Amino acid sequence: MKATWIWYPSDFEVWLGNKFNNRRTERGVFFPPFWKQDGHWPTVVFTKTFVSDVEECIRIMAEGQFNVSIDGHLVSACPSLLFPAGRHTLTIKVWNQASPPALYIEGKHIVTDATWLTTYEDKIWIDENGVAHGSGIYVPVGCWDFNSADTPPSQYHLERRPMLPVNSEEIGNGMLYDFGRETFGYLKVEGLKGNICIYYGESREEALDKEHCETLDILTPLPEHRVSPCSKAFRYAYIVKEDDADFGNVSMDYEYAPFDAKKSGAFRCSDDELNRIWEVSAYTLDLTTREFFCDGIKRDRWVWSGDAMQSYLMNYYLRFDSECVKRTIRQLRGKDPVTAHINTIMDYTFYWFKSIADYYDYTGDLDFIREMWPKMVTMMDYVLSRTNADGMAEGKPDDWIFVDWTDFPMHKRGTLCFEQILFLKSLEIMAQCAERFTRSVSLPDYAALAAALREKVRKAFWSNEHHAFLHALEDGSLNTQVTKFPNMFAVLYDFATNEEQRLILENVLLNPAVEPITTPYMRFYELETLCMMQQQEQVLKEMKAYWGGMLNEGATTFWEKYNPDEHGTEHLAMYGRPYGKSLCHAWGASPLYLLGRYFLGVHPTKPGYEEFEVRPVLGGLEWMEGDVPTPKGMIHVKMSKEEVTVSCNFSGGTLIVANKEYPIIANRKNIVKL
């Protein structure tokens, strides 16, 4: 039997998330998150009852100090323990203030695995529903290998490999090093004598601007072979000597989350620019996939729910790293009691609910949904406690109503239609889960709440005059501003009727008079909405113009924001700072999802690809070909104007072309002539 390290549920993610989110600096100054950070339980008890005909020698290891008892009686377990024959209960209590208490037991039959129970107090055992008992087990895959006594959870780190700059030049009293494209890791300086200052830049301009660059280091000569103390995001590093300082070779340790290329998604087509857009999107997502899915690797380096929501979807079409999805969802939720919205942002709480539903659709992993269900309930309890007199979600003074960064005036006060549609979707998800999971306490009638909210939102915000959902209710009056945000989510979340969708497409989404979206964040949803409405040709043009525009500006990864009307160094500025914009931002990689989901057309129709559709659309391309990873294996799609070919090694699929359906037979090429 294989042993693995176990711990209290989500404690590892909470602890690692605190380390992760507190790495941010601004010009070398520590910059922690502004939201509540939970901690792991310092004392945890693990227990399991075993029945055996023979006694067994077992080895017990723990991260922390521990004691052992058999049937409630303390015993000595150093250096090993002889566990008696018969029916006996083994209990280990572990204390560790520095990192999550974790346990590893090796024996012939007695090992730590998913069947153990755990609690942070001796009286109550917590189960997978949060009621009676529970396991802190986390079954790692890939590089998250905690299946060995030599790989305890607290020692986890990303992998590294050496990289050299592609160019260097002397400028003033320093040297500028160019690593060829945006990268992430630790700068290494050999033979250092005296002190140096290192100014990092995602752009050449930023690295050379010693006064305003966002990231810097000061290195001193001990030890001689110096490595920057913290990982950094940069393409350029400008090293400036102090007094008579000197140094030798400069390189870096590139830090990354490994993946299996053979199990990864792929895309190629007749358009070379679109191929480049896909490749740069993949590199962007890989850089922002770290211990968790983060936002931008230079500035925030935090885990944000809205950013992560999109990363999950892109990931399902690139690496299908379901473990990173689970880690991120757990980290974002933290522990009870709930005292604020996730990241303090109301919409980010709603995206958290949606991300769990998406995870189940793509993976079919019901055990994780069962694990999250108690925390979904208490999170929704918090949301419902803060609704207004009409039962709608309205921001309180301590809430951040984000929606998007906009280049046009948009009020974010009052009752926003956009927020109600996200709230409605969250209630619908809760209603679906409540049908499957039971608890010992009564639950709100989520289905009834959703039905009532649906009726109120349409009555309050739909305008027959504007043929659109209007912006907000403010102080009892209707703000008649028309934006794309509520309207595209009304389509995405199946809120708008067929006729309303037609009107929204014509009067909002394709209407140049409506203010444009200039962040990749909301362009993700805008273009997804257009794809859902069979507008792939329009989406292809916009992808080439928008993401191709960033490539034309020299982007090697995709940005936090792109406005085609800006020029030169204007593209680097944001938040009132000349280099405040992240030039490698997770939500910039959305073509991965759009091309996999709506051009190759692959998506599950039953959880975990038990059943799935392939509905390919060329959208103006001559041909395209790609791979989509799934829990069951790879789905390969190839399409030209003459034929479509789909192949995979599992059944349950349906190919849909020209409104005709064809069963996808496993382990063969399924060819349909057009």
Side-chain angles (χ1 to χ4, degrees):
M1 298 178 67
K2 186 65 175 176
T4 190
W5 286 92
I6 60 173
W7 53 82
Y8 190 85
S10 296
D11 265 13
F12 176 70
E13 288 80 2
V14 166
W15 169 80
L16 186 62
N18 287 342
K19 290 182 63 177
F20 184 90
N21 283 327
N22 284 283
R23 292 173 184 162
R24 177 177 175 177
T25 63
E26 288 201 2
R27 290 188 61 81
V29 177
F30 170 56
F31 197 101
F34 50 80
W35 53 79
K36 175 175 72 85
Q37 297 183 73
D38 295 320
H40 63 272
W41 299 117
T43 303
V44 174
V45 184
F46 303 92
T47 191
K48 183 177 178 179
T49 299
F50 295 91
V51 179
S52 176
D53 294 333
V54 296
E55 63 182 10
E56 181 176 340
C57 185
I58 61 174
R59 183 168 68 130
I60 302 175
M61 283 167 290
E63 291 221 276
Q65 294 178 251
F66 68 95
N67 66 26
V68 180
S69 63
I70 298 176
D71 299 331
H73 302 288
L74 288 174
V75 298
S76 173
C78 296
S80 60
L81 172 68
L82 195 63
F83 195 77
R87 180 184 179 89
H88 300 282
T89 299
L90 176 61
T91 303
I92 296 97
K93 181 178 289 189
V94 185
W95 172 78
N96 190 341
Q97 197 74 37
S99 65
L103 180 67
Y104 184 92
I105 295 179
E106 269 183 335
K108 186 175 181 180
H109 301 100
I110 299 174
V111 298
T112 41
D113 59 19
T115 61
W116 281 68
L117 308 180
T118 184
T119 183
Y120 58 88
E121 56 184 350
D122 288 344
K123 297 179 181 179
I124 303 172
W125 299 100
I126 311 298
D127 76 359
E128 64 269 20
N129 291 312
V131 179
H133 63 270
S135 153
I137 185 65
Y138 171 81
V139 183
V141 295
C143 70
W144 284 78
D145 184 5
F146 299 132
N147 296 331
S148 166
D150 299 326
T151 58
S154 70
Q155 300 305 306
Y156 168 76
H157 58 81
L158 295 175
E159 295 191 15
R160 301 182 190 182
R161 67 170 181 260
M163 281 181 55
L164 296 173
V166 300
N167 189 43
S168 63
E169 58 180 303
E170 186 173 358
I171 299 178
N173 63 334
M175 292 289 296
L176 179 68
Y177 294 89
D178 178 6
F179 285 83
R181 62 176 180 172
E182 177 99 12
T183 188
F184 190 94
Y186 299 81
L187 198 72
K188 300 176 69 175
V189 180
E190 298 181 23
L192 179 58
K193 298 177 181 178
N195 298 342
I196 58 173
C197 292
I198 306 173
Y199 302 92
Y200 299 91
E202 291 184 307
S203 64
R204 178 186 175 92
E205 292 87 349
E206 181 182 9
L208 292 175
D209 191 337
K210 296 187 290 184
E211 184 177 353
H212 298 106
C213 76
E214 296 276 316
T215 314
L216 56 81
D217 270 331
I218 299 175
L219 296 190
T220 57
L222 294 176
E224 185 175 351
H225 187 91
R226 283 309 305 259
V227 179
S228 56
C230 185
S231 55
K232 303 288 193 303
F234 60 95
R235 173 178 173 175
Y236 297 90
Y238 183 42
I239 302 181
V240 178
K241 306 173 186 177
E242 291 187 3
D243 302 321
D244 58 350
D246 199 9
F247 57 89
N249 293 332
V250 172
S251 62
M252 71 169 293
D253 280 342
Y254 173 62
E255 187 182 59
Y256 64 100
F259 58 85
D260 187 342
K262 294 180 180 179
K263 297 181 180 179
S264 296
F267 180 85
R268 49 203 170 277
C269 68
S270 55
D271 188 301
D272 289 340
E273 183 180 45
L274 193 62
N275 290 336
R276 179 64 179 152
I277 288 171
W278 189 92
E279 291 166 0
V280 173
S281 295
Y283 184 59
T284 300
L285 185 62
D286 283 343
L287 282 177
T288 55
T289 302
R290 315 215 64 76
E291 295 93 331
F292 308 94
F293 290 107
C294 71
D295 61 337
I297 59 173
K298 178 184 74 172
R299 189 193 63 249
D300 282 17
R301 305 177 57 167
W302 288 343
V303 184
W304 295 91
S305 181
D307 309 58
M309 166 74 179
Q310 295 186 1
S311 292
Y312 306 145
L313 292 171
M314 301 170 204
N315 164 70
Y316 296 137
Y317 289 88
L318 183 63
R319 310 297 179 206
F320 211 98
D321 185 347
S322 59
E323 296 303 326
C324 192
V325 175
K326 290 191 291 185
R327 289 196 300 274
T328 307
I329 290 173
R330 289 175 179 133
Q331 192 281 326
L332 283 165
R333 176 57 180 82
K335 292 176 175 283
D336 286 330
V338 181
T339 59
H341 282 294
I342 293 175
N343 304 126
T344 75
I345 301 176
M346 182 190 291
D347 17 321
Y348 280 26
T349 291
F350 299 140
Y351 290 134
W352 183 81
F353 288 108
K354 182 63 166 59
S355 71
I356 294 174
D358 288 342
Y359 174 82
Y360 181 56
D361 286 343
Y362 279 94
T363 68
D365 181 0
L366 189 60
D367 287 341
F368 180 69
I369 311 305
R370 185 179 291 109
E371 175 194 331
M372 286 293 105
W373 174 239
K375 293 187 176 182
M376 294 171 69
V377 171
T378 50
M379 190 77 240
M380 183 55 75
D381 287 346
Y382 176 81
V383 172
L384 293 173
S385 73
R386 295 165 69 85
T387 53
N388 63 20
D390 293 323
M392 295 190 187
E394 184 172 342
K396 303 288 186 180
D398 56 334
D399 294 333
W400 179 2
I401 306 301
F402 176 56
V403 185
D404 192 20
W405 302 121
T406 63
D407 292 320
F408 58 89
M410 183 179 73
H411 289 186
K412 296 183 181 180
R413 57 183 297 272
T415 308
L416 272 63
C417 180
F418 166 84
E419 298 287 356
Q420 309 322 307
I421 294 173
L422 268 62
F423 179 27
L424 172 62
K425 187 64 176 178
S426 301
L427 285 171
E428 291 173 345
I429 291 167
M430 292 296 293
Q432 292 166 3
C433 289
E435 291 179 0
R436 184 180 292 269
F437 305 121
T438 58
R439 283 171 56 96
S440 59
V441 296
S442 60
L443 294 174
D445 188 339
Y446 300 118
L449 291 170
L453 182 61
R454 178 178 287 270
E455 183 177 346
K456 290 177 183 177
V457 172
R458 174 165 280 104
K459 183 177 180 180
F461 296 105
W462 176 257
S463 168
N464 288 319
E465 177 186 354
H466 296 86
H467 304 303
F469 288 98
L470 301 181
H471 181 58
L473 287 167
E474 298 179 24
D475 302 323
S477 299
L478 187 61
N479 181 330
T480 59
Q481 183 180 22
V482 174
T483 69
K484 293 183 177 181
F485 306 116
N487 289 284
M488 61 196 188
F489 276 89
V491 175
L492 280 174
Y493 290 170
D494 198 29
F495 177 68
T497 66
N498 290 338
E499 176 60 15
E500 288 167 351
Q501 289 185 30
R502 185 187 67 80
L503 293 170
I504 287 170
L505 178 65
E506 178 181 346
N507 294 282
V508 181
L509 298 179
L510 299 181
N511 183 357
V514 176
E515 293 286 357
I517 295 172
T518 58
T519 65
Y521 178 48
M522 280 292 151
R523 295 235 73 188
F524 179 106
Y525 297 115
E526 178 186 17
L527 297 185
E528 181 178 17
T529 305
L530 291 173
C531 284
M532 288 181 64
M533 304 175 85
Q534 292 79 52
Q535 300 292 313
Q536 275 86 340
E537 290 194 22
Q538 176 70 20
V539 170
L540 178 60
K541 292 176 183 177
E542 297 205 25
M543 275 197 292
K544 285 171 61 64
Y546 191 79
W547 281 267
M550 283 188 266
L551 293 180
N552 291 336
E553 294 287 345
T556 62
T557 50
F558 288 129
W559 306 344
E560 182 177 13
K561 186 178 179 184
Y562 171 63
N563 186 340
D565 294 332
E566 296 176 342
H567 302 283
T569 55
E570 289 179 323
H571 287 301
L572 308 178
M574 202 168 174
Y575 310 109
R577 307 198 301 270
Y579 310 105
K581 184 181 296 180
S582 289
L583 300 189
C584 177
H585 203 282
W587 67 37
S590 55
L592 295 171
Y593 174 66
L594 297 171
L595 292 170
R597 171 65 179 84
Y598 293 103
F599 282 74
L600 296 179
V602 178
H603 71 105
T605 53
K606 283 192 175 179
Y609 282 86
E610 189 66 28
E611 293 181 7
F612 63 96
E613 283 184 359
V614 179
R615 194 187 293 260
V617 179
L618 283 172
L621 297 170
E622 295 294 319
W623 61 267
M624 65 180 178
E625 183 175 10
D627 297 310
V628 174
T630 80
K632 295 189 168 187
M634 199 69 71
I635 299 173
H636 182 76
V637 181
K638 186 175 182 179
M639 185 179 192
S640 67
K641 293 182 177 180
E642 290 75 38
E643 68 178 26
V644 179
T645 303
V646 179
S647 57
C648 60
N649 62 2
F650 55 96
S651 59
T654 301
L655 171 62
I656 303 174
V657 287
N659 294 319
K660 294 182 179 180
E661 298 186 1
Y662 307 86
I664 297 172
I665 309 302
N667 300 309
R668 58 169 281 188
K669 288 186 176 180
N670 298 267
I671 302 175
V672 173
K673 300 292 183 180
L674 301 178

